[in-house]
Amino acid sequence: MAKVSNRFWFQLHGWFSLPIWLIFCFICLTGTISVVSHELTWLTNPAARALNPDDLPEKPMPELISIVEQAYPTAKVSTAMNFEDYLVNAVIFTDSDKPFAIAYVNQYTGEIQEINQGMTFINFMRSLHGWLLFPWESNYSIGYYLVCLMSFVMLGALITGLLIYKKFWRSFTQPKIRTNQGKKTVLADMHRLAGVWSIWFLLVMSVTGLWYLIQAVLWHADYSLEDHPPLVSVMELPTVKDTPVRPLTFMDALEITKKKFPEFKSTYLMPPEHFRDTYKLYGEGDFIFHDKYAYGVSVNPWNGDIESVREPVQMTSLQTLSHIADPLHYGTIGGIWTKLIWFLFGILLTGMSITGFLMWGTRTVKAARKEDTPKEQETM
């Protein structure tokens, strides 16, 4: 009975891992590259490097927006983003001859180092990994669902793998790869060893992947996890015939935000799109497991009132999950060092999908030969 049960779990493990191994391997590989996409951008694009040879203090993001607006007087800035200390800030804008452009602004020198009018490597890899570049329609993408469903494959492969390898803890205390017993044994040992040491990583990827699936369903159902910042009341707008000028600047809004959150570091800014819109400032604080947008403030540009606030202590359970999923999935919780750990285990996970396929292929060919042998003997 034990042998039948073991065979069943082994077959189930194969079906979880192998029939779609190519898609699974591709998603693992693109995710691994996405983890270090910032670092690869720094290595391959000198214009994206935020060099600071004179050890200058970092300029606030509203000042970088002003620099772009001065360089392109007819431009309309929609967003400013901060990535890493060693990467430039990105100021996204449109202009008469630029339907979409990204200004790479050095946050230390204030120099515009490049104008990018295409897709960046970071966005390309995140999109390729996140939804396989399938189009988005009506708040959903088939590719996004397909990628999220891989979390079931990963979780199923983990559970069945542990049921097969009952004394898996030996790979922690007595790790071994037998190189003198043939290719089949080497592949099995490598697959088993990588799987055991990656248990925690597989769990993190599975759980965050399941959350992304839930999030996709919520998006598809038009359920908003975050409340939209309220509009300025019409009664608060100045009653003048000429186009009114907002008395508060983006820099004023940043100072108001820092009074609310002293440890606030801006990472994502959006200027008002119309007269009833607010300054929207998002950033990070002292909660390391939350993403770079866990703190948020919308500031009334006419009177300086804070219209809405986002902070971890006031988040609902779903909001908390949405803000801790990315740091856990991409390993950004501890900066470059945790990203390197996630990158290493991403390589292991990608390798496991390959070794698993090779093992399955070897057994399949061997089984096919055994089935063909009696037929050949009967013919003779």
Side-chain angles (χ1 to χ4, degrees), residues 43 54 56 66 78-80 87 95-96 101 226 236 238 270 280-281 285 301 308 322 324 364 374 379:
L43 286 171
D54 298 326
L56 299 172
S66 298
S78 61
T79 312
L87 288 179
D95 206 347
S96 56
E226 307 278 1
E236 297 180 23
M270 297 178 65
K280 291 176 279 293
L281 304 92
S308 65
S322 69
I324 66 174
T364 302
T379 304

Side-chain angles (χ1 to χ4, degrees), residues 12-27:
L12 187 60
H13 180 71
W15 280 105
F16 267 121
S17 307
L18 304 172
I20 51 174
W21 81 275
L22 185 60
I23 298 176
F24 182 75
C25 181
F26 181 77
I27 292 173

Side-chain angles (χ1 to χ4, degrees), residues 42-95:
W42 187 92
L43 286 171
T44 58
N45 186 3
R49 301 172 188 171
L51 301 179
N52 187 17
D54 298 326
D55 198 22
L56 299 172
E58 184 176 350
K59 297 180 184 296
M61 291 179 71
E63 185 176 340
L64 305 182
I65 293 176
S66 298
I67 291 172
V68 174
E69 290 175 336
Q70 292 173 8
Y72 299 91
T74 59
K76 180 176 177 56
V77 174
S78 61
T79 312
M81 302 177 66
N82 172 281
F83 300 99
E84 311 283 355
D85 293 338
Y86 45 84
L87 288 179
V88 295
N89 284 199
V91 179
I92 303 173
F93 68 97
T94 59
D95 206 347

